[in-house]
Amino acid sequence: MPGTVLLLAAAPLGRGRLVDAAGVLPVLAAVAPAVLSGTGTANVIELVDPLEPQAVLTRLRAAAASPGPLTVYVTGQVQLDRRQHQPHLALARTTPATVRYTALPWHWIREELRLRSARDTALVVDLHADAEAWRYVAEHGLDSGRNTAVYGRIAPATGRRGPAEPAYMKTVATLLRSGHRPPLDALHQQAVDRIPQETKGNLLLADAGGYAVPASPVPPASSTTFTTVTAPLPSPRPEDPHAAISDAVRAGRHAEADGMAARYEAEAVRGYGAASEQALHWSEVRADLAMFAGDPVRSCRAWLTVAETRLAAGQAVDAPAVEAAVDRAHHQWTRIKDTARARELGPALAELRLRVPGRRHGALESVQRELGRLQAAQ
């Protein structure tokens, strides 16, 4: 099955740029697509210094929906937004004051990849972080989802003049230009062995939960000596429900996939309650499965329910999970071709948008305008 590769290189323009992210693209682009993917053939998507987080999300979503193996190569810098202090991938227009609206929330990457299987989904990263983001990663890791293997490094800002070199990713690209892609844990180790000690930064590995965690105790940001430890992500267990569901989706057995998710959802509701994270996780999985099955009505309705449940449980209107649910409901609503069904769901979406405007400017006005058009056509 053909693979998919997403090459994403992003960093702010101007003095806020910590790393010359775009400088790695010519080296990566010289590698054959099949080698980048580790498959016989592959499609490659390149994003260089993108301006809008929504545009990146669209490409990421398309890549995540591909049925074959997916490898995402990310080079750039991590910053925290001032309101929630959550990690974001800075884009071309990002400044410290505008992170929330001009950068890509890292949890968007996690959300888009979460239904994929760990055996065919990987992130290869070379990231730099300012002092605040560096402390965050040291304490919390970088959550990329339970089903994603993560290899690479994250390094603190050097304090030197001018952007740093993406040394890890350039080394990976140079190794791949040989025409062979070894297993990613071996590729990671080979890259680590070749990087000069003073540029290694803090190397990452993937654990069983899909977190990118420090490979060694994190020294102060001024330190440049690191101990490297690497480990492959364990293969999914045969009883892993996410892997089984992903296999069913790839095979086009959408009803079977939803049936499995529904059983796990019911068990979680019985064991933890309908508003628990365990139950909401499976509700969100079912909403995504409806999308994969080409049923935007069911998907929109499911995301609306998830958002309303989270709000009723006391979660903040700007909590990432709440915003994500409303954004996904909105996205699926725009895909509904049945005018009557769109008109039926529109008021609930508009009401939610009043409470949860999200990060996309004009989202509420867009819903109200389209709903007015649908009601006028009645």
Side-chain angles (χ1 to χ4, degrees), residues 157-171:
T158 62
R160 301 172 185 168
R161 302 184 95 181
E165 285 288 310
Y168 174 86
M169 194 67 78
K170 283 190 173 181
T171 303

Side-chain angles (χ1 to χ4, degrees), residues 59-72:
R59 297 297 185 89
L60 176 64
R61 182 167 289 162
S66 61
L70 170 65
T71 307
V72 182

Side-chain angles (χ1 to χ4, degrees), residues 76 94 191 338 366:
T94 300
D338 186 324
S366 173

Side-chain angles (χ1 to χ4, degrees), residues 149-152 188 203-207 210-216 229-233:
V150 185
Y151 301 91
H188 172 74
L203 298 171
L204 305 178
L205 67 146
D207 72 359
Y211 285 79
V213 297
S216 60
V229 181
T230 61
L233 186 74

Side-chain angles (χ1 to χ4, degrees), residues 11-292:
L13 300 174
R15 291 186 298 176
R17 177 169 290 210
L18 299 179
V19 58
D20 179 21
V24 78
L25 259 297
V27 190
L28 280 172
V31 180
V35 178
L36 286 171
S37 176
T39 58
T41 59
N43 301 310
V44 178
I45 304 166
E46 291 187 25
L47 290 174
V48 185
D49 282 334
L51 301 176
E52 300 292 340
Q54 289 291 338
V56 179
L57 177 62
T58 298
R59 297 297 185 89
L60 176 64
R61 182 167 289 162
S66 61
L70 170 65
T71 307
V72 182
Y73 296 85
V74 183
T75 308
Q77 68 188 62
V78 179
Q79 293 179 227
L80 304 185
D81 70 284
R82 290 181 173 177
R83 181 183 296 183
Q84 295 179 315
H85 302 286
Q86 294 295 314
H88 291 62
L89 181 70
L91 302 183
R93 294 175 177 169
T94 300
T95 67
T98 65
V99 170
R100 178 171 167 79
Y101 298 103
T102 62
L104 181 77
W106 193 261
H107 73 265
W108 284 8
I109 297 176
R110 180 193 67 215
E111 289 296 311
E112 294 305 321
L113 300 182
R114 66 187 174 145
L115 276 188
R116 297 186 57 89
S117 167
R119 61 175 173 255
D120 61 10
T121 309
L123 275 171
V124 181
V125 302
D126 190 347
L127 302 170
H128 285 66
D130 60 20
E132 186 181 24
W134 175 254
R135 287 192 296 270
Y136 176 94
V137 174
E139 294 175 6
H140 304 286
L142 202 58
D143 182 4
S144 302
R146 71 180 71 196
N147 292 341
T148 304
V150 185
Y151 301 91
R153 69 152 183 182
I154 183 167
T158 62
R160 301 172 185 168
R161 302 184 95 181
E165 285 288 310
Y168 174 86
M169 194 67 78
K170 283 190 173 181
T171 303
V172 166
T174 300
L175 290 166
L176 292 177
R177 289 183 69 177
S178 68
H180 169 65
R181 191 182 103 166
L184 285 178
D185 58 321
L187 177 65
H188 172 74
Q189 187 60 62
Q190 291 174 26
V192 168
D193 292 342
R194 293 193 181 197
I195 297 175
Q197 183 70 22
E198 66 271 14
T199 65
K200 283 185 178 179
N202 186 53
L203 298 171
L204 305 178
L205 67 146
D207 72 359
Y211 285 79
V213 297
S216 60
V218 179
S222 59
S223 174
T224 57
T225 303
F226 300 87
T227 302
T228 303
V229 181
T230 61
L233 186 74
S235 299
R237 300 186 303 275
E239 66 271 20
D240 182 352
H242 297 87
I245 289 170
S246 295
D247 288 342
V249 170
R250 280 196 294 271
R253 302 192 308 271
H254 297 289
E256 177 185 333
D258 184 64
M260 284 190 282
R263 289 194 294 274
Y264 285 106
E265 181 185 30
E267 290 176 8
V269 170
R270 286 195 297 271
Y272 303 98
S276 66
E277 284 300 322
Q278 293 88 339
L280 286 169
H281 167 74
W282 288 109
S283 299
E284 292 173 346
V285 167
R286 295 190 68 194
D288 277 338
L289 290 175
M291 175 191 68
F292 287 129

